[in-house]
Amino acid sequence: MQQGSVTKYRAFPPIELPERQWPSRSITTAPTWCSVDLRDGNQALPIPMSVEEKLKLFDLLVSVGFKEIEVGFPSASQIEFDFIRRLVDENRIPDDVTVQVITQAREDLIRRTFESIQGMKKVIIHLYNSTSPAQRRLVFGLDKAGIIDIATRGTQLIKDLVPTIPETQVIFQYSPESFALTEIDFSLEICEAVVDIWQPTPEAKIILNLPETVQIATPNIYADQIEWFCRHMRHRESAIISLHTHNDRGTGVATTELGLMAGAERVEGTLFGNGERTGNVDIITVALNMYMQGINPLLNFGDIDAIRAVYEECTRMQVPVRHPYSGELVFTAFSGSHQDAIQKGMAAWDGAPDAVWEVPYLPIDPKDIGRTYEAIIRINSQSGKGGVAYVMENEFGFQLPKAMRVEFGKIINAIADVRGDELTPQQIYDAFEHEYLQRTSPFSLEAFHAEKAGASSPDEVVCRARVILNGELYELSGSGNGPIDAFVRALNQASLANFTVRSYTEHSLNHGSDARAVAYLQIETPSGRTFFGAAIATNIEQASIKAVLNAVNRVQATMG
């Protein structure tokens, strides 16, 4: 940005709207949604979709639940025309779906549009012309009266042609294309001139689409424009106010939400925000924002990955990994503190259908849109003990003791620092296995047996063990208040090791006939250092004794 260049720009003037009402309103119901992926989205693609690709995307939009779909600009190209005819001739439009076709206010384009919709049961004909001062001066060279004449002549022609397709129910939509950049009183004037010709009723309403074709101000300005329009329009009860926002300032979603609070009832947009320049508003984000507020959006995004796959195939566009709700990483935490909070929140949530979702850092349950919990927490050098523990439990079933989470978390962080990369769950498990489960040197166990001491000492256990240390076999025996205590005493009495047991936990790794047990054991050396060991076996006694030796071997490794 060059110094001084800012003087080329000026702020958009605010709307005079005393006692505006929209700031105190809330969105409580879903609007009518109209997808414009096949028209506005398609015209923004470097390689426009083929007829077959448009058919595939149309079927996706229907499956998601769109009841209004703008299918094209039939007078713009033969592909657009042929696609619309395929929909009609092959009876591809469900009875509960209304398609929309768009045309500029020119006689030849309007007549071509009517050719394309022959045989439809129901259609929205969308007429538009630009209205802003810059468009009037630079593009059309017309004054306000001339721009109104374009709109009214186009409206009259469409009204005159409707009787030529008596089998088709026609709904009329008009857009003052650059509404947000147009003087608000002139926007109302031209729309009411169109309404006067069309003569809608509360039973047969006109759609007035008020686009923010190019974002030029903060979202509250657009909301003021919508509320002002709704307040001052004659025959408001005979019109549906529709929004069509773009994302030039990065606030398309906010602008749409505030526009709904200001009185609009309908939203045009695209999947993932595809569209000219920075794109149209992303209907998925707006809809799921409602969903997370407990509002049924009336659209089904229960398999967001499948939707994304079809979209990317048909448009050749890629959904960014941080795109709200839909991106690959949007439910993923790398930060240690985030991971810890998510892990605790997931553990506390009971999963009942009526349970309130309250997991830190996750605004919605990923499963509601077809995502799994497997990728919520991923590990790199920024991760902490909570994230590592989450991966170990959710991917592999290991419920690490709290103190062990700290110890193992440091080990994983050190590995991630060296690699400078993200660690996969399998790499984390491999590190756990190497560090805790496969410590076979210098101690190894050849045999172990424990039994009750007898009636005279009912709480005492006697053990006999055969242990190999650096290739030499030792026959050991000891007694204690359980198998672990007896084995530890045997090792210490033989002067093969010197330690005490600080903590011990165990649990089953799976169920059924092939169930295995895992034991975690923490020992303390005379110097006060602590080490964990872990082991897996088909019975808990074997797992616990192997865990003792794995912990001792870790001690020996640090001394070596």
Side-chain angles (χ1 to χ4, degrees):
M1 184 175 69
Q2 296 179 354
Q3 293 296 321
S5 62
V6 71
T7 57
K8 294 190 295 186
Y9 306 100
R10 59 185 181 273
F12 192 83
I15 303 299
E16 184 66 29
L17 188 64
E19 300 180 355
R20 55 180 55 82
Q21 299 298 307
W22 65 261
S24 61
R25 295 175 183 160
S26 299
I27 298 172
T28 57
T29 58
T32 299
W33 305 103
C34 179
S35 161
V36 295
D37 290 87
L38 296 167
R39 197 275 306 175
D40 211 348
N42 184 56
Q43 75 179 29
L45 298 175
I47 304 175
M49 287 180 278
S50 66
V51 170
E52 293 302 324
E53 287 167 338
K54 293 188 77 171
L55 289 170
K56 187 168 188 175
L57 189 54
F58 176 81
D59 290 341
L60 173 68
L61 296 169
V62 170
S63 70
V64 164
F66 283 97
K67 300 306 178 187
E68 295 184 4
I69 302 172
E70 189 167 81
V71 292
F73 199 146
S75 60
S77 73
Q78 191 62 43
I79 286 181
E80 295 280 286
F81 187 95
D82 291 344
F83 166 64
I84 293 169
R85 290 313 310 165
R86 286 279 298 272
L87 292 177
V88 178
D89 296 339
E90 298 176 10
N91 197 28
R92 288 175 172 266
I93 306 170
D95 290 341
D96 63 344
V97 172
T98 303
V99 299
Q100 177 172 301
V101 291
I102 189 169
T103 180
Q104 292 173 314
R106 283 172 39 192
E107 180 176 353
D108 57 329
L109 304 184
I110 291 171
R111 291 187 181 280
R112 179 67 166 165
T113 299
F114 268 78
E115 291 177 26
S116 75
I117 62 175
Q118 294 283 335
M120 283 188 183
K121 297 176 183 177
K122 188 176 181 181
V123 66
I124 299 169
I125 298 179
H126 180 187
L127 179 78
Y128 77 94
N129 67 307
S130 292
T131 55
S132 69
Q135 293 269 14
R136 298 194 307 258
R137 184 178 73 255
L138 300 175
V139 178
F140 297 101
L142 294 173
D143 58 11
K144 290 180 180 179
I147 296 296
I148 291 175
D149 184 60
I150 291 174
T152 53
R153 281 190 291 106
T155 302
Q156 186 62 59
L157 177 57
I158 290 173
K159 188 173 183 178
D160 292 343
L161 290 174
V162 167
T164 66
I165 49 171
E167 73 282 6
T168 304
Q169 178 186 349
V170 174
I171 300 168
F172 182 57
Q173 173 172 316
Y174 173 69
S175 292
E177 185 204 354
S178 45
F179 165 81
L181 284 161
T182 301
E183 308 93 327
I184 190 66
D185 55 346
F186 181 57
S187 292
L188 180 63
E189 181 183 357
I190 194 169
C191 285
E192 289 194 329
V194 166
V195 168
D196 287 343
I197 291 174
W198 192 257
Q199 293 291 300
T201 67
E203 295 73 35
K205 296 183 179 184
I206 189 174
I207 301 172
L208 294 177
N209 191 52
L210 306 179
E212 188 183 44
T213 308
V214 179
Q215 285 196 318
I216 42 75
T218 50
N220 61 296
I221 298 294
Y222 184 65
D224 281 350
Q225 291 172 319
I226 297 299
E227 183 171 332
W228 189 98
F229 190 98
C230 291
R231 279 197 202 180
H232 290 83
M233 179 191 172
R234 291 184 285 110
H235 309 301
R236 172 68 179 88
E237 72 284 355
S238 297
I240 295 168
I241 302 301
S242 176
L243 308 176
H244 181 115
T245 64
H246 281 250
N247 204 40
D248 300 88
R249 292 169 52 92
T251 58
V253 169
T255 303
T256 297
E257 290 176 332
L258 268 54
L260 289 171
M261 292 161 59
E265 305 127 303
R266 182 178 184 268
V267 169
E268 293 188 348
T270 60
L271 300 180
F272 309 107
N274 181 39
E276 296 281 15
R277 303 177 311 281
T278 56
N280 290 57
V281 69
D282 175 18
I283 281 183
I284 295 176
T285 299
V286 179
L288 290 178
N289 282 354
M290 293 180 186
Y291 180 76
M292 70 169 289
Q293 297 293 313
I295 301 167
N296 184 352
L298 304 178
L299 294 174
N300 181 9
F301 298 115
D303 191 349
I304 198 69
D305 288 342
I307 294 170
R308 186 177 66 192
V310 173
Y311 163 85
E312 292 183 341
E313 176 188 349
C314 293
T315 65
R316 301 173 184 84
M317 302 288 284
Q318 297 296 311
V319 176
V321 296
R322 296 293 184 188
H323 194 92
Y325 300 107
S326 311
E328 181 184 348
L329 296 180
V330 296
F331 295 113
T332 298
F334 290 99
S335 161
S337 60
H338 289 207
Q339 292 173 345
D340 185 59
I342 291 171
Q343 190 268 336
K344 291 173 179 174
M346 295 290 288
W349 186 60
D350 68 10
D354 59 346
V356 175
W357 180 255
E358 199 174 26
V359 176
Y361 300 109
L362 295 180
I364 69 170
D365 185 346
K367 283 194 172 180
D368 288 350
I369 57 173
R371 306 289 289 272
T372 68
Y373 295 141
E374 294 173 1
I376 291 176
I377 291 177
R378 289 162 61 173
I379 307 301
N380 62 15
S381 61
Q382 303 299 308
S383 305
K385 63 183 186 301
V388 174
Y390 180 92
V391 170
M392 289 300 295
E393 180 169 357
N394 284 270
E395 296 282 344
F396 305 108
F398 290 87
Q399 301 166 18
L400 304 186
K402 286 187 177 180
M404 192 178 192
R405 296 175 189 178
V406 175
E407 183 180 280
F408 186 46
K410 292 178 180 178
I411 292 169
I412 291 300
N413 278 357
I415 294 172
D417 273 335
V418 171
R419 290 177 55 89
D421 196 4
E422 178 186 351
L423 298 182
T424 67
Q426 186 60 49
Q427 288 171 326
I428 293 168
Y429 176 80
D430 291 344
F432 179 82
E433 186 177 54
H434 171 76
E435 186 68 31
Y436 296 104
L437 302 179
Q438 294 185 344
R439 291 287 185 169
T440 58
S441 176
F443 285 94
S444 62
L445 183 69
E446 187 173 278
F448 177 84
H449 175 74
E451 59 186 20
K452 292 286 186 180
S456 59
S457 303
D459 296 328
E460 188 175 0
V461 170
V462 176
C463 80
R464 289 183 293 276
R466 293 164 61 86
V467 174
I468 298 173
L469 173 60
N470 294 323
E472 185 174 348
L473 179 65
Y474 292 85
E475 300 273 358
L476 306 179
S477 64
S479 62
N481 58 18
I484 297 174
D485 187 42
F487 182 59
V488 170
R489 287 174 183 270
L491 285 170
N492 287 337
Q493 289 166 5
S495 299
L496 299 183
N498 186 12
F499 64 93
T500 57
V501 176
R502 283 278 302 272
S503 66
Y504 171 78
T505 57
E506 63 186 52
H507 65 82
S508 175
L509 271 180
N510 43 27
H511 304 283
S513 59
D514 62 342
R516 297 182 300 160
V518 59
Y520 313 95
L521 184 133
Q522 185 186 37
I523 65 174
E524 183 175 358
T525 67
S527 64
R529 295 184 66 186
T530 60
F531 295 82
F532 271 94
I536 301 169
T538 55
N539 68 77
I540 197 59
E541 182 179 278
Q542 289 292 321
S544 60
I545 299 306
K546 289 180 179 179
V548 171
L549 290 182
N550 282 334
V552 174
N553 283 336
R554 291 188 68 229
V555 175
Q556 295 296 318
T558 63
M559 296 172 59

